[in-house]
Amino acid sequence: METVNAATTWTRDTAQAEKRDLWTAMKRGFRCRCPRCGEGKMFRAFLKTADNCSKCGLDFTPHRADDLPAYLVIVVVGHIVVPAALWIETNFSPAVWLQLAIYLPVTFLLSLVLLQPIKGAVVGIQWALRMHGFDENAPSDIPSVPPI
């Protein structure tokens, strides 16, 4: 047993931490399920994460998804709607009122449908990469980030 510093003592047990597959965690999060077990629900409301998993007890409170899911939704929806709008405009040239009547609701609905799964995937990434309090072996001298 070798001591690196006063806060962390490295042993065989701390070196063999739980294996966390990034893609599996992202897929489970995208399905709004616990990234560890894939069974418990991640959300208690539309965008509010549950305090912990109902099946395995994983604590979701340290996640810090912040605005990243919204930015990713903008990118994904933009890459779907804009090429479709350009293709329709180039090939059919419908009236402006018709385009607005189609593109605005489609953009709104796609954004609503994708926001929760993308936030789940972001929380899954954070868990898999042991970010923001998801690391059980983190040094205790790191201050926690207060909730906003």
Side-chain angles (χ1 to χ4, degrees):
M1 181 166 74
E2 179 180 63
T3 303
V4 176
N5 60 29
T8 305
T9 303
W10 295 98
T11 64
R12 182 179 302 259
D13 295 331
T14 58
Q16 294 177 346
E18 170 187 21
K19 299 288 185 208
R20 298 180 180 181
D21 182 48
L22 178 65
W23 293 108
T24 302
M26 283 178 59
K27 286 188 277 187
R28 289 175 176 171
F30 192 80
R31 290 190 340 243
C32 302
R33 298 292 180 194
C34 173
R36 180 193 286 163
C37 68
E39 295 179 19
K41 291 184 179 180
M42 184 180 293
F43 295 98
R44 63 181 160 94
F46 181 63
L47 289 178
K48 294 284 186 187
T49 56
D51 292 333
N52 53 29
C53 175
S54 60
K55 300 291 182 180
C56 70
L58 176 65
D59 184 19
F60 295 129
T61 57
H63 88 83
R64 300 287 297 171
D66 296 333
D67 292 335
L68 180 61
Y71 291 128
L72 293 176
V73 167
I74 290 169
V75 169
V76 170
V77 171
H79 278 82
I80 293 170
V81 172
V82 171
L86 290 174
W87 180 77
I88 291 171
E89 174 63 30
T90 304
N91 292 325
F92 302 108
S93 297
V96 174
W97 68 268
L98 182 59
Q99 292 182 55
L100 290 176
I102 295 171
Y103 303 141
L104 292 178
V106 167
T107 302
F108 179 71
L109 291 175
L110 273 176
S111 298
L112 281 180
V113 166
L114 289 175
L115 194 55
Q116 189 180 37
I118 287 181
K119 182 173 181 174
V122 168
V123 174
I125 290 170
Q126 291 177 353
W127 175 80
L129 298 178
R130 302 180 195 290
M131 298 169 64
H132 306 296
F134 283 119
D135 185 9
E136 63 277 350
N137 295 322
S140 60
D141 59 346
I142 298 175
S144 63
V145 179
I148 296 175

